[in-house]
Amino acid sequence: MKSKQPIMLVGLTMLIALLSNLFILTPSYAKQEVKPNQAPKASFWFAPSKKEARDGLGYYRDTVKPGETREYKFYVKNLLNEKLNLKIYATDPVPLQNGGKDFGAYNAGVTNAGTWLYPQGSKDITLGPQEMREYTYRASIPKDLAPGQHIGVVAVSEYNEFQGEGVETNIENTTLAPDVESSNGLWIVMDYKIDDAKHAMSINTFTHDYIASGESRFTVTLENRGTILEQPTGYIEVRDSSKKVIFREEYEAGSIYYGTTANMVSIAQNQLLMPGNYEAYFEANFAGQKEWKLFKFTVTPEAKNEAQAAMAHYDKLEVTDGIPDWLKYVLVIGGILILLLLILLFWLLAKRKKGDIEERIKMYLAKGLTFEKTRKKVQLDQKTFTLYVVKLGYIPDGEEPEWDKTIHTCKHARRIAIAMVENTSTNNDSEAEVLEGTASPENLKGGEGDVEKGA
């Protein structure tokens, strides 16, 4: 009987080769060096006039009532030894990317608690060298004030016009703003029945695009529809068409103010998405509540090629191509199934061959061939052949066949023949006794007459 080990070895070799190809074809990526930005030197100082607010919180915080008016004063000081032009204005807080403390520009307009502050609009101020002035803003609290935490901002900004030459922007260059802004904002936090505040958030939109280096950027808009600041936590998960997670990032968002929307941005660093269909799952947890949403998007071959070229330009991509993850899984699973089918096929063939061998042994021995000739006919070694003839009952277990004998002349066959002869003799003797006991002269005579008549 043939050995199955070479066949299994071939199958395993094919599977290992297939898996090796998958790893070879998968893109590998280089690391990106990140240089921290340096903070610019301040040209002015801006702080609450009230010492308790200035030294304790650095901002104003009050418990207010509907319909009342509050005053908030601020110091602005020129830190330079030359004249300084600034703008001061009331505005709303806005979240940074992924949440965080920021506020609107002087020309951005106001919609929330910033509208309660007076004066409205931006005011140009000029301070002499080292000069400090105090500015007052009044907050008119609405009569229909909703329970929650309402925040307005008073901000000061300095704008310096850019004096350099114009710069063309492309994939290799970043855009230079025409103006350089230095701003500082101070919060006015107005609490009213804060324990009854409404907690509500909404996951609105999702976009997938590419940054200049060709890496995928995922942006989810997360809106605070409640009446209190939220700092949600959660994660984004991107899966391919086979549901395999190809990107996951957890987040702890900074401040997202009521009535504002934060752009929650994640970048799949050093990762190239292959053409195909994907889904993005985004989850936000806040105040014991959870919101989630599933978005679907597609990467086209054209977009993949552009992203790959950009990544190669920035030395992030060390190889030129790869294959989609879903195709990797198909190839691996297909290879395993083929290997299993091959093993099953050879097992069935071996089993069938075993049955064929037993039938052929019986046939050759029945024809009168010796054990040795029968062994050669079925192409088995002596040890294996002996196991077969023992199993078929031609010789007892533990004995060797008499290779030059047939089943009619071997020892076992002779013993069977002797036993058969002895059984036959015994039966004949019993039959003779019966005849002697029943014979009579009349019967014998009648028998002779019958014989003669018959003759």
Side-chain angles (χ1 to χ4, degrees), residues 269-325:
Q269 295 186 358
N270 303 322
Q271 188 170 347
L272 179 64
L273 268 64
M274 295 295 116
N277 296 319
Y278 297 85
E279 63 181 25
Y281 173 87
F282 186 87
E283 181 177 299
N285 301 283
F286 60 98
Q289 302 179 42
K290 181 172 78 172
E291 291 288 332
W292 64 271
K293 206 164 190 177
L294 191 66
F295 302 92
K296 297 184 182 296
F297 67 100
T298 301
V299 174
T300 64
E302 294 77 16
K304 173 261 180 185
N305 291 337
E306 291 180 9
Q308 182 174 326
M311 292 183 74
H313 176 81
Y314 281 86
D315 295 327
K316 291 177 177 289
L317 197 62
E318 296 180 356
V319 296
T320 58
D321 207 348
I323 59 176
D325 287 332

Side-chain angles (χ1 to χ4, degrees), residues 235-271:
Y235 65 94
I236 183 172
E237 201 170 76
V238 179
R239 309 160 186 158
D240 61 17
S241 57
S242 66
K243 304 300 181 181
K244 177 190 175 185
V245 176
I246 62 170
F247 175 78
R248 178 188 168 97
E249 184 174 79
E250 297 183 358
Y251 69 87
E252 294 183 3
S255 301
I256 302 178
Y257 307 96
Y258 81 93
T260 66
T261 299
N263 288 328
M264 307 300 294
V265 178
S266 300
I267 296 175
Q269 295 186 358
N270 303 322
Q271 188 170 347

Side-chain angles (χ1 to χ4, degrees), residues 6 80 159 268 319 348 368 374 380 425 430 450:
L80 305 178
Y159 281 82
V319 296
L348 292 173
T374 301
L380 292 176
S425 300
S430 299
D450 291 339

Side-chain angles (χ1 to χ4, degrees), residues 57-284:
L57 300 174
Y59 60 90
Y60 287 105
R61 182 166 188 175
D62 279 338
T63 299
V64 298
K65 297 179 180 179
E68 69 176 345
T69 300
R70 293 293 183 97
E71 275 193 356
Y72 301 96
K73 297 179 180 293
F74 303 90
Y75 286 131
V76 183
K77 182 178 180 180
N78 180 4
L79 299 178
L80 305 178
N81 294 320
E82 59 186 36
K83 184 176 67 174
L84 181 63
N85 296 317
L86 302 170
K87 291 180 182 292
I88 187 169
Y89 60 97
T91 186
D92 289 320
V94 295
L96 290 168
Q97 179 175 292
N98 295 326
K101 186 178 179 181
D102 200 3
F103 53 89
Y106 75 94
N107 57 355
V110 289
T111 57
N112 295 319
T115 61
W116 306 351
L117 301 177
Y118 180 84
Q120 287 286 299
S122 65
K123 179 181 179 181
D124 293 324
I125 60 176
T126 301
L127 299 177
Q130 300 294 322
E131 181 184 1
M132 183 173 72
R133 293 183 194 171
E134 186 179 59
Y135 295 87
T136 301
Y137 277 82
R138 293 190 300 274
S140 298
I141 312 302
K143 293 181 180 180
D144 59 348
L145 183 65
Q149 188 177 73
H150 307 273
I151 303 174
V153 178
V154 174
V156 174
S157 295
E158 175 191 10
Y159 281 82
N160 295 317
E161 185 177 351
F162 178 68
Q163 302 296 328
E165 297 180 359
V167 178
E168 294 184 0
T169 60
N170 53 38
I171 199 170
E172 300 181 23
N173 301 306
T174 56
T175 303
L176 294 180
D179 296 318
V180 178
E181 177 185 6
S182 175
S183 301
N184 193 0
L186 295 177
W187 268 231
I188 303 172
V189 180
M190 295 165 279
D191 295 334
Y192 174 64
K193 295 183 178 180
I194 196 168
D195 292 337
D196 298 328
K198 176 185 176 183
H199 295 271
M201 302 204 76
S202 174
I203 303 168
N204 294 337
T205 63
F206 168 85
T207 56
H208 166 249
D209 61 356
Y210 300 91
I211 60 177
S213 59
E215 294 158 305
S216 288
R217 174 171 57 190
F218 312 108
T219 304
V220 176
T221 55
L222 183 58
E223 180 183 2
N224 184 349
R225 293 187 175 180
T227 58
I228 190 169
L229 177 149
E230 300 287 2
Q231 293 179 318
T233 62
Y235 65 94
I236 183 172
E237 201 170 76
V238 179
R239 309 160 186 158
D240 61 17
S241 57
S242 66
K243 304 300 181 181
K244 177 190 175 185
V245 176
I246 62 170
F247 175 78
R248 178 188 168 97
E249 184 174 79
E250 297 183 358
Y251 69 87
E252 294 183 3
S255 301
I256 302 178
Y257 307 96
Y258 81 93
T260 66
T261 299
N263 288 328
M264 307 300 294
V265 178
S266 300
I267 296 175
Q269 295 186 358
N270 303 322
Q271 188 170 347
L272 179 64
L273 268 64
M274 295 295 116
N277 296 319
Y278 297 85
E279 63 181 25
Y281 173 87
F282 186 87
E283 181 177 299

Side-chain angles (χ1 to χ4, degrees), residues 6-56:
I7 297 169
M8 295 181 65
L9 182 61
V10 171
L12 290 173
T13 304
M14 291 172 58
L15 181 59
I16 292 171
L18 178 63
L19 293 173
S20 301
N21 288 335
L22 293 180
F23 287 112
I24 293 172
L25 293 173
T26 303
S28 57
Y29 306 102
K31 294 183 178 179
Q32 180 183 15
E33 183 179 358
V34 179
K35 296 182 180 179
N37 294 325
Q38 296 181 352
K41 185 177 179 180
S43 58
F44 64 90
W45 176 70
F46 183 44
S49 297
K50 190 174 180 179
K51 185 176 185 300
E52 291 81 7
R54 182 171 66 251
D55 296 340

Side-chain angles (χ1 to χ4, degrees), residues 399-413:
E399 289 191 12
E400 284 284 331
E402 296 183 52
W403 298 105
D404 59 340
K405 303 292 184 179
T406 68
I407 59 172
H408 305 294
T409 59
C410 68
K411 293 179 180 179
H412 182 54

Side-chain angles (χ1 to χ4, degrees), residues 356-385:
D356 291 343
I357 288 174
E358 292 178 355
E359 294 300 323
R360 291 171 64 198
I361 290 175
K362 292 179 182 179
M363 178 185 69
Y364 291 133
L365 290 176
K367 288 183 176 181
L369 270 66
T370 64
F371 284 107
E372 179 63 19
K373 289 184 178 180
T374 301
R375 182 188 70 79
K376 291 180 179 179
K377 285 282 187 179
V378 295
Q379 299 180 352
L380 292 176
D381 59 83
Q382 289 188 349
K383 183 177 180 180
T384 305
F385 181 82

